[in-house]
Amino acid sequence: MRDLRTLSRSQVLVSPSLLAADFGRAAEQVAEAAAAGADMLHLDVMDGHLVPNLSFGGPVIKSLRKSSDLLFDVHLMITDPLKYAESFVKAGADHITFHVECDNDPAAVIAECRRLGVTVGMSLRPGTPASAILPYLDRIDLVLVMTVEPGFGGQSFMADQMPKVAEFKREIRKRGLNVRLEVDGGVDERTVTTCAAHGADLVVAGTAVFGHKEGMQVAISRLHAATPSLDSAL
Ligand code: DX5
Ligand code: ZN
């Protein structure tokens, strides 16, 4: 059952980003992350247009799917998610997050993901206000708040994005929605605390998991130790 909507809400969940793995040993690294307690796998797809970098596409996801049962949390940093969503689902995506800054009508991308039978999330760059996504909140399963400029792993966490996380949390609560709140970029065992305190219930961590000196198990258990905020005043 690789369904985002049924995962635990009692602890902060961890989605290690493949971007920080050794691509030459990708399948092995993914298996290691799963054994170390990863709740899902974050797959960053970049097209060199929406973001100034290229990463990997469907064929890599398809290969990894053969040996992994993890939920594949696919982050599409591409200008035309409507055109490619189906190929990513066929490759093995369980969940698709696209950017509000893409070239498509968000409502059409959401409808396409529903047609394809996957859960759908929306993401936004640090400079984009929450108001860009709020009109779609009732129709999606996840909001992904970027805490770095999308395009590269290993950047520093932007704490100034936390008010935006809290704003989404308040709105999700107010409307009584089952929408997950994910934070992506520069999350480690230190910055995860502030993410959780502002209402995040899912964190992406690339460098902090695949690059941890003490190994992935220590890395993931320290991220899991963050307590999700129950503060209704948020
Ligand atoms: C950045 C990606 C992130 C990135 C996170 O564009 O969306 O998922 O891999 O990497 P770290 O955790 O190293 O900041
Ligand atoms: Zn990402």
Side-chain angles (χ1 to χ4, degrees):
M1 261 293 277
R2 297 191 306 253
D3 189 333
L4 188 80
R5 291 164 296 199
T6 61
L7 296 177
S8 160
R9 291 191 161 270
S10 58
Q11 65 171 171
V12 169
L13 301 182
V14 180
S15 190
S17 169
L18 183 74
L19 205 57
D22 175 354
F23 285 174
R25 301 190 298 122
E28 199 183 309
Q29 293 245 286
V30 171
E32 253 184 80
D39 298 291
M40 58 186 88
L41 182 72
H42 189 79
L43 296 137
D44 289 302
V45 176
M46 306 178 184
D47 68 353
H49 293 281
L50 189 75
V51 293
N53 198 9
L54 294 162
S55 57
F56 52 82
V60 168
I61 295 174
K62 191 175 174 190
S63 295
L64 293 173
R65 181 79 288 166
K66 289 181 198 152
S67 60
S68 180
D69 281 333
L70 282 174
L71 189 157
F72 281 3
D73 160 31
V74 177
H75 181 188
L76 294 183
M77 286 165 274
I78 66 176
T79 57
D80 197 349
L82 194 55
K83 180 173 175 186
Y84 294 102
E86 184 163 10
S87 67
F88 284 105
V89 173
K90 283 190 174 147
D94 299 296
H95 168 85
I96 286 186
T97 294
F98 67 98
H99 272 258
V100 69
E101 300 92 356
C102 75
D103 288 349
N104 306 135
D105 170 12
V109 184
I110 294 167
E112 173 68 351
C113 290
R114 295 290 175 224
R115 184 185 76 78
L116 295 166
V118 292
T119 50
V120 58
M122 288 181 76
S123 184
L124 72 185
R125 292 172 175 281
T128 304
S131 58
I133 285 183
L134 291 178
Y136 305 99
L137 203 58
D138 303 71
R139 286 183 260 172
I140 58 180
D141 305 295
L142 176 148
V143 172
L144 171 56
V145 176
M146 292 302 307
T147 40
V148 295
E149 282 300 339
F152 300 90
Q155 304 183 76
S156 299
F157 180 78
M158 295 168 70
D160 63 356
Q161 296 302 301
M162 292 301 103
K164 200 194 282 182
V165 175
E167 188 179 350
F168 279 120
K169 186 67 183 185
R170 276 195 301 272
E171 214 37 54
I172 289 166
R173 231 187 225 134
K174 197 169 100 190
R175 302 193 203 176
L177 302 171
N178 180 18
V179 172
R180 293 217 82 113
L181 190 46
E182 184 175 30
V183 170
D184 183 7
V187 178
D188 60 20
E189 57 202 51
R190 194 175 47 83
T191 56
V192 68
T193 311
T194 183
C195 296
H198 286 83
D201 50 46
L202 170 59
V203 293
V204 175
T207 313
V209 169
F210 289 101
H212 201 284
K213 294 193 296 288
E214 292 163 81
M216 288 192 220
Q217 194 152 2
V218 169
I220 294 174
S221 64
R222 292 208 183 135
L223 293 167
H224 273 153
T227 316
S229 173
L230 298 171
D231 182 0
S232 55
L234 258 182

